[in-house]
Amino acid sequence: MRRWTRMALPPKALDRLAVLTPCTILLSTGLALAAAPLESAVMPTAGLASLCICTLLAHAWRRAPELACQRTGSDVRWVKAHIITHVVPVGFAFAHLSTGTTPAPDPAWIVGFALFFYSGRRTWLALEQAFKRPLYVIFRRGNSAMLITTTTLAVVGQLVDANAISSFVARVLSIYLIIHLALTGLAVARIDRDLGR
């Protein structure tokens, strides 16, 4: 049994958080889509969801060096980079919730998401090679597909000034974020098990 530190969660707490996270993500999404009287409940619920995500990411950050036993040090840097770049999707989600509209993917969002998807692709590739799990293969392919398609479409939308393309990319990113953030608990719990509780 490994020694617990301030940032690492015990297995039972991590498993509970892995269940609580998708519940808060889906609840805040549902409230955001509901009628105006429920708007006051959206931000506190989204805040709770963010707290869950941040706790999971802090746990993943703490466990990232243990991947060095399985892989090279450069892979650990990509894992940590991917954890840090989660600020992009979380910021995008808060921009959407606070304004009630999906933000247009301007160049700053495009670069941020490109870094997020690229670091995600490298992270899941390292985990896939170390542990041979189908979950990691699916996540790697998802990050690769999102990196290529959304970045290309967003750049084309910026170049030709096509609102329809930018709008489509923003909707795709919003749907992706709901799914990605809801699966964060499952992914971190699986990584935790693979690294050895």
Side-chain angles (χ1 to χ4, degrees):
M1 181 181 215
R2 77 183 147 95
R3 201 172 122 205
W4 297 104
T5 62
R6 289 182 306 169
M7 292 179 65
L9 296 169
K12 285 185 182 179
L14 182 62
D15 291 341
R16 288 184 188 123
L17 193 57
V19 171
L20 180 62
T21 301
C23 294
T24 58
I25 297 291
L26 297 174
L27 180 61
S28 61
T29 302
L31 290 172
L33 296 173
L38 295 176
E39 285 179 7
S40 61
V42 172
M43 291 314 273
T45 309
L48 178 59
S50 294
L51 181 62
C52 292
I53 295 290
C54 289
T55 304
L56 288 167
L57 293 175
H59 180 80
W61 180 275
R62 177 67 184 102
R63 301 280 332 248
E66 295 174 45
L67 186 61
C69 297
Q70 307 287 333
R71 302 287 303 151
T72 65
S74 63
D75 293 330
V76 174
R77 286 191 292 273
W78 282 114
V79 171
K80 288 187 171 187
H82 188 56
I83 291 168
I84 290 169
T85 57
H86 271 77
V87 74
V88 175
V90 171
F92 191 82
F94 266 104
H96 173 71
L97 289 174
S98 62
T99 62
T101 61
T102 305
D106 62 21
W109 286 121
I110 295 168
V111 170
F113 272 108
L115 290 171
F116 173 74
F117 291 130
Y118 183 75
S119 64
R121 183 190 183 293
R122 294 291 302 260
T123 295
W124 298 117
L125 178 63
L127 289 164
E128 174 190 343
Q129 291 172 343
F131 301 112
K132 311 289 188 236
R133 298 262 181 224
L135 177 69
Y136 303 145
V137 174
I138 292 167
F139 282 14
R140 177 185 54 81
R141 288 181 179 171
N143 274 262
S144 298
M146 291 297 288
L147 173 65
I148 293 165
T149 56
T150 58
T151 305
T152 303
L153 286 173
V155 169
V156 168
Q158 291 290 314
L159 292 176
V160 298
D161 197 29
N163 288 335
I165 294 174
S166 295
S167 213
F168 174 75
V169 171
R171 281 194 302 274
V172 168
L173 287 173
S174 296
I175 293 167
Y176 171 83
L177 293 180
I178 293 167
I179 295 167
H180 176 81
L181 295 176
L183 292 176
T184 301
L186 169 72
V188 172
R190 178 72 264 168
I191 294 166
D192 196 66
R193 285 185 182 91
D194 284 340
L195 289 173
R197 292 184 166 192

